[in-house]
Amino acid sequence: MVRSDALENRARILAAARQALTADGGASMNQIAQRAGVGAGTLYRNFPTRESLVLAVYQDEVDRILGTVPGLLADHPPLEALRRWTTDLVEAMRRKHGLGDALSPGAHQSIAEQTYGPVVAAITRILDAGKEDGSIRGDADPGDFLQLTGALWRAASGPEDRSPRMLALILDGLRAQARP
């Protein structure tokens, strides 16, 4: 059983690491510990290597995004839920690229393999809700959708962020068409 203060320390470390690494992929472990308000020993007890910390930050973000699906489907029609969820995913993937400098190619591959199934399952859940209510075409495939949205997080962000328009095009292609 983990003590509550240990859980709080871990959460503070993850939050501090997310901020530090997103701002500066070269932030040191000591800078992260200081930002989290913990000693280096506490940081290294929780995350023995920089890569383990970066992977935990990324996994924490993926878990957060996956956890939003039920609420989005409860509060919005499926296409709107998918738009909101995908927008959140795109923002997270853009942050991940900031974290990516700290990961080895093997770690990139590992995290992609670990998260692919759960992400596709989340997309499947949203698409199935839309297929069920008739708003999303029956042949919509979650793997295809994920592949298409990969272009969104690679699109330049900022004042000329094209990803919202690109996402609108993707979602329009998913709409079920009225049959004549």
Side-chain angles (χ1 to χ4, degrees):
M1 185 164 201
V2 180
R3 297 182 345 224
S4 64
D5 62 329
L7 290 174
E8 290 170 14
N9 284 342
R10 182 177 171 81
R12 281 201 325 269
I13 292 167
L14 286 173
R18 182 179 300 108
Q19 291 172 345
L21 294 170
T22 300
D24 174 13
S28 73
M29 294 288 275
N30 286 335
Q31 290 170 323
I32 293 167
Q34 187 175 33
R35 183 178 267 201
V38 300
T42 299
L43 174 66
Y44 282 102
R45 245 188 327 278
N46 282 277
F47 304 101
T49 66
R50 179 180 175 76
E51 193 161 274
S52 68
L53 175 59
V54 173
L55 288 172
V57 167
Y58 183 69
Q59 187 62 55
D60 188 58
E61 185 74 358
V62 169
D63 291 344
R64 182 194 62 77
I65 293 166
L66 295 174
T68 65
V69 171
L72 286 169
L73 285 172
D75 295 342
H76 304 285
L79 275 169
E80 178 60 16
L82 186 59
R83 186 191 67 73
R84 289 172 182 252
W85 186 84
T86 304
T87 298
D88 196 16
L89 179 67
V90 167
E91 290 171 10
M93 292 300 102
R94 285 179 174 166
R95 284 190 301 271
K96 177 194 153 245
H97 283 287
L99 298 174
D101 296 340
L103 292 177
S104 69
H108 275 286
Q109 181 67 28
S110 174
I111 198 72
E113 290 170 359
Q114 288 175 346
T115 58
Y116 181 82
V119 167
V120 167
I123 296 167
T124 299
R125 184 169 179 188
I126 299 171
L127 291 179
D128 286 351
K131 290 174 185 180
E132 187 175 311
D133 79 359
S135 62
I136 293 178
R137 51 193 285 171
D139 64 345
D141 179 80
D144 292 346
F145 181 80
L146 185 58
Q147 185 79 28
L148 286 168
T149 58
L152 300 177
W153 59 77
R154 290 175 186 88
S157 59
E160 296 297 320
D161 185 359
R162 297 172 59 180
S163 64
R165 288 193 321 265
M166 293 167 63
L167 178 56
L169 289 171
I170 294 169
L171 294 176
D172 282 348
L174 287 173
R175 288 185 199 283
Q177 303 297 316
R179 301 203 185 244

